[in-house]
Amino acid sequence: MFDGTLDKDLVSDASVCDMLVRVGTDSVDVAVFSVVADNSLIYRSFPVASPSAGVRALEDVVYDNPLMLCDFRKVSIIVGTTCYAVVPSDAADETSAVGIFRALHPAYSGHVSVLGTATRNASVVCGIESELSGFIGRTFHGASVMPHIVPLIRYFASKPCRGNSRRMVCNFRGTSFDIVMLDGNSLLQANTFAFSNPMDAVYYILASRSRHGLDPYNDEVLLTGDRIVREEVTPVLRRYISRVMPAIFPPQMFRAGKDAMLAPFDLIVTPLCE
């Protein structure tokens, strides 16, 4: 289900359940599932009135949905943001990584975190707006917090590649998408792009592939996320790339409940790669 209040009586024992929350510019998405029972997943998507709502949007959702304040086994929160930077993990200590981030995002003044990506060569440095970070810390004790790009990289980095080929993953939303490009367990690129027309997304995809020299016949593109956008870009991409296909939905999360397929892909893979 997409709507309906998350009341406490929906879950009999929160201590054996995990909660996943995605804070985006147009929605706050919540999934709750038991780690000891299949087909238990509950999913809700709450629209955000304004992209600038920020922490207030999350506050409203939390206070309107009592289940979110239960004592869960684990809480994972991902934030849809472009306020991140990818840095070489073997070429920069934490101080240097934070310095790179601040040079790229000079307007940001809050806390900066350095997160692993499960690749052999890259880390992600990110900033979560101070007011939002403070509310999360006060409300969800011990919650893990990360930008949406991190679980996406971690999940696909943990999946074996076909032979020696490289691959690109494109995760679509209505007006933005992510590119994650991997060569085995090495990260080649991770970016989030905005677009007003899906053909703009096609341009970014083809330009990124050209920049890294991906083979149009052997190096695949995996598509996930917004179905409407995927249906628009797929036939165009197939004019230039032989292997364009949907990413396989993780069976572990499908067993948790079929509504997992309605949730944002970067959210639903989070418990598989923390």
Side-chain angles (χ1 to χ4, degrees), residues 138-204:
R138 293 189 303 272
T139 309
F140 305 108
H141 178 70
S144 64
V145 185
M146 66 189 78
H148 74 281
I149 198 73
V150 168
L152 201 62
I153 298 171
R154 288 177 179 174
Y155 177 72
F156 285 100
S158 69
K159 301 299 174 185
C161 200
R162 184 177 57 89
N164 295 320
S165 64
R166 291 174 288 181
R167 58 188 161 157
M168 170 186 275
V169 179
C170 299
N171 179 46
F172 294 100
R173 292 167 294 277
T175 56
S176 67
F177 79 110
D178 312 302
I179 287 177
V180 172
M181 197 181 302
L182 294 156
D183 183 354
N185 187 247
S186 293
L187 183 66
L188 300 177
Q189 177 179 330
N191 294 97
T192 300
F193 297 96
F195 64 86
S196 56
N197 184 306
M199 293 307 103
D200 296 337
V202 170
Y203 169 80
Y204 289 128

Side-chain angles (χ1 to χ4, degrees), residues 20 74-77 144-146 154 269-274:
L20 312 174
K74 187 174 186 179
V75 176
S76 303
I77 299 177
S144 64
V145 185
M146 66 189 78
R154 288 177 179 174
V269 300
T270 297
L272 305 178
C273 51
E274 286 190 292

